[in-house]
Amino acid sequence: MSNNREQWGTRLGFILAASGSAVGIGNIWKFPYIAGENGGAAFTIVYLACIMIVGLSILVAEFVIGRKTLLSPVGAFEKIAPGTNWKYVGFLGVASAFVILSFYGVVGGWILKYITVSIVGGFDSFASDTSASGALFNEFITSAYSPLFYQLIFMGLCVFVIIRGVKGGIEKWSKIMMPLIVVLLGVLAIRGMTLDGGMKGVSFLFNPRFGDLSASAIVLALGHSFFTVSLGMGTMITYGSYLKKDQNLLSSALWVIFLDTAIAMLAGVAIFTTVFALGADPASGPGLIFVILPSVFPEIAGGTIWSSIFFFLLFMAALTSAISILEVVTAYFIDQKGWSRKKSTLIFGSVITIVGCFCSLSLGGGINIIGIFGEDFFLGGTFFDVMDNLSGKYMLPIGGMLTALFVINKMGMKDYIKELSVGSDNQNINPSIIKGFLIVAAVVVAFIIFNEFYALLSGKALVG
Ligand code: PFF
């Protein structure tokens, strides 16, 4: 099976594909507003620490497991620990892929819709009027058919890329889209900084305000570090399984983390400089992208162009992430069930799209399947929220923690270091340091998960 396994064409292609997975809606939509709300640079420092300790350890672990076994998660855990329950960690990953992509595809559809509205000058009438831009957003996401139409196109594009395979699909498109994202974001950031008053946005993001940094912000930073680096569901195991043995896994992981973080910050600069220059509300939560930005872009010269560029790059970021999620499911059916790539992509791309339709419809389109549990179902009132919370708060952290424990307890540091050393031209890898990092990652994440469950059962979190 592994002899004719697909492989990345080049090292750059792999790094761009993996960072394409990492850089997504989480970086451009979520990072800027959580950093803005929670102390600016104070939050960023905590976030960097989380990424460098927890994120990096688990990212490297996933690459190592993938490249050692040349299999996607279920097969990979089974190969290293045959006949044990560890394969269920792989199944958890496949399940997480279903859960995440179902709502991620819906948001991908919203972005497509906003590209079309922006291009035809649809934001023009929203200048400084967030109630008008808010009304458009609300009306759109709560309607039944229109979001489904755009979600279908977005998911269709994912299927289109994945069917073409690792090199001809994922790698090829990542090589086109990732550099474009960086360039376009760079252009937007420069445009923002040169606006009158734009630099106030930079200081909002980079001035540490330790007073705004609460314990819950630290929990948030940790949770976000999983989502943003695409960890805990085997995406990076799957991508690692397409590697040749000549790759330096540690330096590749550092590149992915660097690009992910740099792009999140660049997005923060592009967004906050524009928001501050025009005196809009910076801490407006998730509405920042879909409500605030459409009301500030029309106020700057060439606003239609800038907003179209912004939503287009957000679309590319979302697509390179979404394909990596679909690839986890596709690879499972190829590796474990012997299906063809085409069959597994088409079938499971469709199944996930259908589940996603229910996420979308739960926002006001008339069907909320979680509604049978009542308004205050513990993971959120809508099916969309449930899928979002279930994956972000529970599935990814649990998957990540178990991956770290798997390396420490089952795989063993000797085998781990052996695989990690391959391709690293005799770098000095100290097993105790690596093990220490993995233990810290597992313990910290265990605490986060405990904190969530505690909040669930007692109604109040220990921290946050
Ligand atoms: N990392 C992506 C983001 O920041 O938007 C989301 C994501 C992609 C999560 C792939 C998990 C995953 F496997």
Side-chain angles (χ1 to χ4, degrees):
M1 204 190 310
S2 49
N3 283 344
N4 49 20
R5 188 171 192 74
E6 293 179 79
Q7 285 189 330
W8 304 111
T10 61
R11 171 171 155 82
L12 178 70
F14 161 65
I15 290 176
L16 290 179
S19 43
S21 169
V23 173
I25 302 173
N27 300 61
I28 297 169
W29 178 10
K30 200 160 177 200
F31 175 80
Y33 84 77
I34 52 176
E37 278 175 352
N38 293 290
F43 179 87
T44 307
I45 294 168
V46 174
Y47 171 81
L48 285 178
C50 296
I51 292 264
M52 287 312 289
I53 299 168
V54 179
L56 183 64
S57 310
I58 297 175
L59 178 58
V60 173
E62 291 205 14
F63 281 165
V64 168
I65 294 171
R67 193 183 62 179
K68 180 173 170 59
T69 56
L70 303 178
L71 287 168
S72 55
V74 176
F77 283 103
E78 175 68 12
K79 189 166 174 184
I80 297 176
T84 65
N85 286 329
W86 283 104
K87 62 175 174 295
Y88 293 108
V89 181
F91 281 117
L92 178 68
V94 178
S96 307
F98 270 86
V99 172
I100 296 184
L101 191 51
S102 62
F103 74 84
Y104 209 86
V106 174
V107 181
W110 297 351
I111 298 166
L112 279 180
K113 156 86 177 176
Y114 269 60
I115 296 178
T116 63
V117 176
S118 173
I119 286 179
V120 298
F123 297 154
D124 290 352
S125 58
F126 297 156
S128 308
D129 185 357
T130 48
S131 58
S133 58
L136 169 86
F137 182 56
N138 252 331
E139 219 169 89
F140 170 64
I141 68 165
T142 55
S143 62
Y145 299 112
S146 182
L148 298 188
F149 169 74
Y150 289 100
Q151 179 211 353
L152 215 70
I153 298 181
F154 183 82
M155 290 301 297
L157 291 170
C158 279
V159 168
F160 172 87
V161 175
I162 291 299
I163 275 188
R164 276 158 185 73
V166 173
K167 201 161 138 190
I170 305 174
E171 181 170 352
K172 177 177 161 194
W173 285 99
S174 302
K175 271 175 149 168
I176 298 172
M177 291 194 276
M178 285 307 289
L180 252 180
I181 292 172
V182 175
V183 170
L184 294 180
L185 254 187
V187 170
L188 277 179
I190 293 172
R191 164 77 267 207
M193 287 190 286
T194 50
L195 288 171
D196 239 5
M199 289 312 275
K200 273 189 278 176
V202 176
S203 83
F204 178 70
L205 198 61
F206 293 115
N207 250 352
R209 286 169 279 120
F210 287 99
D212 289 353
L213 184 69
S214 59
S216 68
I218 299 173
V219 174
L220 201 65
L222 259 167
H224 187 60
S225 62
F226 269 90
F227 190 78
T228 189
V229 191
S230 309
L231 298 175
M233 52 167 274
T235 307
M236 296 303 185
I237 295 181
T238 310
Y239 274 20
S241 75
Y242 303 131
L243 276 172
K244 294 180 190 132
K245 291 285 183 192
D246 58 0
Q247 285 271 330
N248 184 328
L249 296 182
L250 187 59
S251 85
S252 303
L254 282 168
W255 267 110
V256 172
I257 299 248
F258 167 74
L259 283 170
D260 186 68
T261 310
I263 290 179
M265 293 194 189
L266 205 54
V269 171
I271 291 170
F272 285 127
T273 48
T274 314
V275 165
F276 270 86
L278 295 147
D281 177 9
S284 44
L288 187 60
I289 298 291
F290 291 106
V291 178
I292 302 290
L293 285 184
S295 76
V296 293
F297 276 126
E299 291 190 67
I300 45 180
T304 298
I305 296 174
W306 301 117
S307 58
S308 306
I309 289 179
F310 178 79
F311 282 102
F312 182 61
L313 77 87
L314 184 56
F315 155 71
M316 291 189 292
L319 188 63
T320 47
S321 296
I323 57 177
S324 72
I325 308 176
L326 185 55
E327 180 62 16
V328 171
V329 182
T330 298
Y332 167 73
F333 285 93
I334 296 175
D335 288 347
Q336 302 308 118
K337 304 282 171 204
W339 288 19
S340 72
R341 172 167 285 276
K342 191 168 172 191
K343 177 177 163 190
S344 71
T345 311
L346 281 175
I347 292 185
F348 287 96
S350 308
V351 172
I352 294 172
T353 306
I354 293 169
V355 181
C357 289
F358 286 100
C359 285
S360 180
L361 289 167
S362 75
L363 297 176
I367 305 173
N368 179 20
I369 52 177
I370 217 70
I372 48 170
F373 298 109
E375 278 268 300
D376 24 67
F377 184 64
F378 66 92
L379 283 169
T382 65
F383 187 49
F384 184 102
D385 293 336
V386 169
M387 298 304 248
D388 183 3
N389 289 330
L390 187 65
S391 52
K393 288 186 178 162
Y394 301 96
M395 296 174 93
L396 297 187
I398 291 175
M401 179 188 69
L402 291 174
T403 304
L405 289 178
F406 176 77
V407 171
I408 301 165
N409 279 333
K410 196 71 207 170
M411 186 172 180
M413 291 316 287
K414 208 170 133 234
D415 277 1
Y416 184 74
I417 300 289
K418 195 168 153 207
E419 181 65 37
L420 180 57
S421 313
V422 176
S424 73
D425 12 272
N426 74 37
Q427 249 173 32
N428 235 344
I429 299 177
N430 183 329
S432 318
I433 294 184
I434 306 245
K435 189 172 181 180
F437 267 73
L438 281 164
I439 292 172
V440 171
V443 169
V444 170
V445 179
F447 175 74
I448 300 296
I449 299 164
F450 175 75
N451 193 43
E452 284 300 341
F453 276 108
Y454 186 87
L456 202 69
L457 297 174
S458 72
K460 176 145 180 31
L462 281 175
V463 175

